[in-house]
Each structure stands twice: as C-alpha cells, then as structure tokens.
Amino acid sequence: MFEPGNTFFLSFGIDQLILLGFAGVPIVVVIFLVYLDWEYSTTLKASTSDLPWVGIRNEVFRLTRASMRQLKDSSQTIADGYAQGRSFFVPDISFRTQVLLPQEHIERLITQPESKLSIYKVRDERHAIKYLNNSVEHKVTIKFLDNIVGRCLTQKFHCTQDDMHDEIRVSIDDTMSWNEEWHQVNLQQTMKTVADRTGSRALFGLTLCRDQAYLHSIDRFNLLMGLGMVVVGQIPWLVRPFIGAMVNVPLRIYKARILRMLVPLIKAHLEQYGHEEHTGSLKGEANDFVTQAVKVAMEKKDRTVSDDSDVLAEQFILLAFGALSSSNALVGTNVFLGTNVFLDILTTIPELNVYETLREEAVRAFQSEADWSNPAALRTLVLIDSTIRETLRTNPMNTRGLLREVVPEDGLVLPDGNKVPRGTWIGAPVQAVHMDDRFYDRPNQYDPFRFARMASQNNRLDAAQTSDTFLRWDHGRSACPGRWFATQELKLLIAYVTLNYDIEPMDKRPQNVVFGDNSWTSPSIYIRVRRRKADLMYSIDGVMIVSRKFVVQDIDIFASTL
C-alpha cells in the first residue's frame, strides 16, 4: 500500500509508466498504420473505376508503404503511370486519394467550375493554409492578391523596373563582391539575398528592403512558412493539426515582428490616400507595390478586402512570402529558380558557350544606363528568356500540379468514363508532361535555346506563358499571377550578372534535394566568381556606375549559336 514518503512505490510506479510508454509507441504506430491503410482502401473502393494503381507492391500495409516511399522521390512512380497513356491512381504520403490525368485531359480539368473541382480545398490541405498563419480569411485574401498582383505588379512592372535593377545591382555586388580575383560564393544564399532585397524593394520600398531587422524577420517567417507548407501539407491528415500548431508558435512571433514594422507603413499610405481623395489632389504615385495596392484596396468597386491597416498588412505578408520565399505556393520563387538557372547554365556542354552568348545578348540590350529602365530592352532578351523557360521545364518544383478536389456528393465522372468519389484529388503529372517526346525533342536533354528557336519560327513562348504542355506555373485561371513579375526580375538578374561577373563552369550538375512531391536546390553549392575588370567608372547622382567597352561581333545570334 502506498503511503506518503514511501518513495519505493512512487519510483516503481513511474518506472512502470515509462516502460509502458515506450512499449506503447510501436503499438500506437501499428494501429495508426492499420487505420490509415484501412481508410485508404475503403475510400478507393468507393470509386467505380478500373483505373490502374502505380507504385503498389504485394506486401503488408501495401498502400501505406507505397505512400511512404513517395517521400524519397515520386517522379519515377508518376512517370510509370503517365507512360500507360491513361488516368491512374497514385499513392501520396498525405494519404489522400489522388488521380492524375493524361495530358489530353488537362484542358478539360482546368475549365471545370469550383463547384465541381475546387482548388481552394486543395490549397487548404496541400499548402497547409488552414493550419498555418490562420488569422486571415485565405480564400478572400487569395482573390485579393490575385487581383492586385496582376494590376500592380505585372501591369506596372515598368514603374518598378529601375528600382529593381538598382537593388539587383547593389545586392549582387554586396554578395559576389568587387573582387577581381577568383573567389567562392554560396549560390543559393546569393540568390536568396537578391530575391529578398529586390522583392522587398518592389513591394515595400527602399526603406524596408535595406532594414536588416525586417529582412531577418521576413527571412525566418518565409523559412517557417515554406517548411510548414511542404512538411505539414504532405504528412497524414491525422497528425497535420498537431505539427501545424507546433510550427505556428515561432511563426506568430516573427509575424508579430514584421507587423510592427509594416502596419505603420500601411497606415500612413491609407491616411495619405484618404486625405488626397478627400481634397481631390492626388499627387504623383510612388512606384512600390504597397502604394499601388492600397489604392486598389480603397477603390469603391473593389471590396474584396478590408481597408483596415492590420488586415492589409497580414495580407501583404502572405504576398511577400509568395514573392520572396524558397517554398511558396502563391506567386512562385526566384530563389530556387535563379539557382537552378545558373546551375543549368554552368553545366551545359561547353560547345554551346551559353554564358558568353547570354552576355552578348545583354550587351546588345543594355547599351546605356537608361536601358535598364526600359521595358523594351527586356523584350529583346530572347535567349535569356528561353534559358529560364527551359530550366522551368526540366526542373519543376513539383512532380504533379493543377490539383483540384472533387466536390459533388455523388463524385465525378472523368473524361474516360471512370467515376471517382467525392474528396478525390485530380491533377496532372507536371514533370512527366514536360518530359514527353511528343511535345519536346530530346526532352531529357537541357537545351537552353530550345524556345528561342521556336521564337525564330514566329512562335514565341515567353518564360511566363503557360499551356497544357508547359505547367510549371499551373495553367488556366489558377495560373500563378506573379509569374510575369518573377521572370522579368530574373531576366534583369541574369543580364546584370553576365555583364559584370565571370563564373567558372562546373563539371557536373549537383542533384536537387527531393522531399515527396517537392524538389529544391542544395543550400551548400558554391561557385567561383570574379568581378570583370572595368574600363571606365563614372558617377550619377553620387552612385558609382561601371561601364565597359565590349567588342561584340555583328553577327546573327541565332545563326551563330543555334
């Protein structure tokens, strides 16, 4: 009998509890796996279809183990399914029933109304939106951001182009340095610094993009959001709320720090706009996104968002995440895209002379300082644009895309006549489509000027343009609204780097890091660079400008390189 002070019984009880706890872990895991496998199988039985499964083996917990294997790499599994030429079931670590369609059915997929196939339900789960940063109404926010991104970032890119170039110049020179001797720099960290500062310059203006406290907080917020979306969005639904709650603790801390800096800025813009609207004397508009977006938000005809400074600030944080982060779902990323582009350029066969060819094109486009502010100069970068698009084709961040959830109670009939139950996710095998030799000659080979040749045949394909055979930016009404902004920024970046820096080629392209459906560049890749020697230095408004005397042969670039 236990008596106060009798530590023997107390210690005995605690030890037994600890042993039971350790012994109970595998029991709980087994029960968990059995339940998931049973539920997965039950859901599939509701499908009145004869669609094939891929990646399934004859083993215990076959669906669960097939789903777990997708953590390592799902690309081969999806490629095997796509090769069958029909729709197929594919296992997924989220234990969500998924059907991927053949390329021929993509156009029909993207034209279905939200009442039949919902993209918002997928965003809530796959992007973990309902588990992370859940203090705003995300459906309304996404609609608002889609609207103002197109009106303020894309349509008015020419207003911010000069600022973008200035920040690219400063951030590249800070990270790559003015050292004219060969030295090492971390490629991904360089791309991240440039993306953070340049994106912040376009979004929030000069002050915040140079504010180290803001940059640190937005960097940590983006990192946590990115990891949260990738991890929480791909784990089994039973544990998703718990992991999401853990990620939200530090996430809220960094968000609070960002809000303390951002809310006063938004409030000042709202007050200025209200005053100018009242007096009828609207002054010259600032070029940054916040100024433009506040005007859109305050328009009487656009009431998709509150005019409260705190709410607007939170929505702008989500936009900043989409524009700046390494693993986003709202606007795309220039961190991994920029890193992938340079890795592809530096590892392409020497005979193509890609780096020098892109430099020659940049020389022609930017013959004076004024050209960096001219949108027409960017439109002449056909080869740089083609190189970006080819990297997007060969290195998509996701193996599958265009995911939508079946909404009707009685399920949905696929174009081939098969019926799938409510709750099924339907999408397209992005990577497999990009590697289809019906659409791309020698698809497994990186060909930087592939799309430039198409352009020379009067069939221009801009890096931001989508189609049912080019799905990196999604397609149709759900296509990434910030893709034009992202590609234009990257064109400026590549042009500036090639003009001002030499980079040593690499013998072999480093493998990307794979986690389930996602693929990223390694954070530990270093490249050797050196600043190009300047012929002339002069000052404009106190800013030192470097000019060089280039000797560029008067040749047809297409004829000489393609």
Side-chain angles (χ1 to χ4, degrees):
M1 181 176 179
F2 173 74
E3 297 178 2
N6 191 334
T7 58
F8 171 80
F9 288 102
L10 179 60
S11 61
F12 178 82
I14 292 176
D15 289 343
Q16 292 301 312
L17 287 174
I18 291 174
L19 289 174
L20 285 174
F22 280 117
V25 170
I27 296 175
V28 171
V29 171
V30 170
I31 294 174
F32 181 68
L33 292 177
V34 169
Y35 172 75
L36 286 175
D37 207 87
W38 171 81
E39 184 190 49
Y40 214 169
S41 301
T42 301
T43 303
L44 291 175
K45 289 177 182 177
S47 171
T48 57
S49 68
D50 61 353
L51 297 180
W53 264 93
V54 293
I56 303 296
R57 302 172 185 172
N58 187 17
E59 57 191 355
V60 179
F61 303 138
R62 62 192 188 101
L63 293 178
T64 298
R65 294 170 70 176
S67 300
M68 293 294 186
R69 283 194 292 269
Q70 302 313 301
L71 271 179
K72 184 178 179 181
D73 186 6
S74 62
S75 59
Q76 187 57 54
T77 301
I78 294 177
D80 291 342
Y82 182 76
Q84 299 181 41
R86 58 182 300 196
S87 301
F88 59 93
F89 283 114
V90 61
D92 186 70
I93 188 59
S94 66
F95 290 87
R96 168 72 69 163
T97 306
Q98 292 189 17
V99 173
L100 298 186
L101 306 180
Q103 185 275 336
E104 292 78 8
H105 296 164
I106 289 176
E107 289 293 343
R108 181 170 175 180
L109 168 68
I110 65 173
T111 57
Q112 296 301 304
E114 183 72 14
S115 59
K116 288 188 176 181
L117 289 175
S118 173
I119 189 173
Y120 292 105
K121 289 181 178 294
V122 174
R123 283 174 172 171
D124 280 348
E125 295 291 339
R126 192 64 166 186
H127 301 153
I129 286 179
K130 77 177 187 179
Y131 304 102
L132 303 172
N133 194 43
N134 54 8
S135 54
V136 293
E137 173 53 52
H138 289 92
K139 187 171 183 178
V140 173
T141 298
I142 290 172
K143 286 183 177 179
F144 169 68
L145 294 180
D146 285 353
N147 181 13
I148 59 179
V149 163
R151 293 174 62 176
C152 302
L153 280 183
T154 302
Q155 295 180 14
K156 295 191 176 183
F157 181 84
H158 62 281
C159 296
T160 62
Q161 183 173 327
D162 188 49
D163 288 343
M164 298 280 284
H165 161 246
D166 179 60
E167 205 56 43
I168 287 172
R169 175 182 60 81
V170 173
S171 56
I172 281 292
D173 292 344
D174 284 348
T175 53
M176 288 190 171
S177 86
W178 288 74
N179 190 348
E180 294 181 351
E181 301 298 327
W182 288 107
H183 59 283
Q184 284 190 333
V185 299
N186 184 296
L187 178 58
Q188 184 169 299
Q189 185 57 49
T190 298
M191 293 297 106
K192 190 176 187 318
T193 299
V194 175
D196 284 354
R197 289 177 52 171
T198 307
S200 295
R201 176 77 175 264
L203 295 177
F204 305 124
L206 181 61
T207 302
L208 283 185
C209 83
R210 304 280 176 89
D211 188 318
Q212 292 303 313
Y214 165 79
L215 290 174
H216 174 76
S217 296
I218 198 72
D219 173 68
R220 292 298 181 268
F221 178 85
N222 288 341
L223 177 63
L224 288 166
M225 277 288 288
L227 289 175
M229 289 175 65
V230 170
V231 175
V232 177
Q234 294 193 85
I235 59 178
W237 63 269
L238 278 175
V239 297
R240 207 170 288 164
F242 303 103
I243 305 299
M246 293 172 60
V247 176
N248 265 322
V249 174
L251 196 63
R252 290 180 183 279
I253 294 174
Y254 285 111
K255 184 174 74 171
R257 293 179 182 178
I258 298 170
L259 288 173
R260 283 199 295 268
M261 292 177 272
L262 197 55
V263 168
L265 178 67
I266 304 295
K267 189 174 294 184
H269 281 75
L270 289 170
E271 292 175 352
Q272 180 182 2
Y273 181 83
H275 172 73
E276 292 177 349
E277 184 182 42
H278 178 73
T279 59
S281 58
L282 290 175
K283 301 176 182 178
E285 299 179 358
N287 292 333
D288 62 83
F289 172 82
V290 169
T291 301
Q292 302 295 333
V294 164
K295 290 182 178 293
V296 174
M298 293 292 288
E299 289 177 359
K300 302 302 182 184
K301 60 184 179 181
D302 186 352
R303 307 312 301 167
T304 59
V305 70
S306 169
D307 56 6
D308 180 81
S309 58
D310 295 284
V311 176
L312 275 175
E314 289 212 36
Q315 291 172 323
F316 289 151
I317 289 176
L318 287 181
L319 174 65
F321 165 70
L324 309 179
S325 79
S326 304
S327 307
N328 62 78
L330 295 176
V331 191
T333 176
N334 270 3
V335 179
F336 292 135
L337 175 53
T339 306
N340 272 320
V341 168
F342 278 101
L343 288 178
D344 288 336
I345 292 173
L346 298 175
T347 55
T348 304
I349 56 175
E351 289 76 12
L352 286 180
N353 201 24
V354 178
Y355 196 83
E356 290 297 329
T357 301
L358 299 183
R359 175 180 287 164
E360 290 178 358
E361 184 178 63
V363 168
R364 294 182 176 214
F366 302 105
Q367 298 184 6
S368 69
E369 187 66 18
D371 290 329
W372 291 100
S373 306
N374 185 2
L378 289 178
R379 290 194 290 271
T380 67
L381 301 178
V382 177
L383 298 179
I384 291 179
D385 183 274
S386 175
T387 301
I388 296 171
R389 187 174 176 90
E390 179 70 348
T391 291
L392 289 166
R393 183 189 71 83
T394 57
N395 290 286
M397 284 186 63
N398 305 101
T399 57
R400 71 197 86 184
L402 282 75
L403 291 171
R404 281 107 167 104
E405 182 174 324
V406 175
V407 177
E409 289 279 355
D410 58 348
L412 187 75
V413 177
L414 300 178
D416 58 11
N418 286 290
K419 186 176 182 180
V420 293
R422 180 185 183 185
T424 302
W425 285 3
I426 300 177
V430 173
Q431 190 175 45
V433 171
H434 286 187
M435 295 297 165
D436 192 329
D437 58 11
R438 294 179 298 167
F439 314 123
Y440 301 103
D441 182 42
R442 294 173 296 175
N444 293 312
Q445 177 179 327
Y446 181 82
D447 181 356
F449 306 138
R450 177 190 305 273
F451 296 102
R453 287 195 295 275
M454 297 180 181
S456 67
Q457 300 165 4
N458 298 318
N459 185 27
R460 178 164 185 175
L461 292 173
D462 189 276
Q465 186 177 341
T466 70
S467 73
D468 60 358
T469 59
F470 186 81
L471 306 168
R472 168 55 181 85
W473 302 110
D474 214 275
H475 185 42
R477 66 178 184 274
S478 62
C480 169
R483 64 193 187 279
W484 302 100
F485 174 83
T487 54
Q488 297 296 76
E489 176 189 345
L490 194 54
K491 289 178 190 177
L492 286 172
L493 170 62
I494 295 173
Y496 184 82
V497 170
T498 55
L499 283 174
N500 292 280
Y501 292 88
D502 293 320
I503 306 181
E504 280 190 353
M506 304 174 69
D507 295 332
K508 184 179 180 182
R509 194 191 195 284
Q511 292 294 315
N512 283 0
V513 179
V514 174
F515 181 83
D517 190 37
N518 299 89
S519 172
W520 313 283
T521 52
S522 170
S524 58
I525 297 172
Y526 285 82
I527 57 174
R528 284 173 53 82
V529 305
R530 68 180 178 188
R531 181 79 183 193
R532 302 189 68 208
K533 296 185 183 296
D535 290 325
L536 176 65
M537 300 185 69
Y538 59 97
S539 176
I540 296 180
D541 296 331
V543 177
M544 193 63 68
I545 307 298
V546 179
S547 176
R548 294 176 179 81
K549 296 177 182 178
F550 293 99
V551 178
V552 181
Q553 295 179 352
D554 186 17
I555 57 176
D556 184 342
I557 291 181
F558 289 105
S560 63
T561 63
L562 307 180

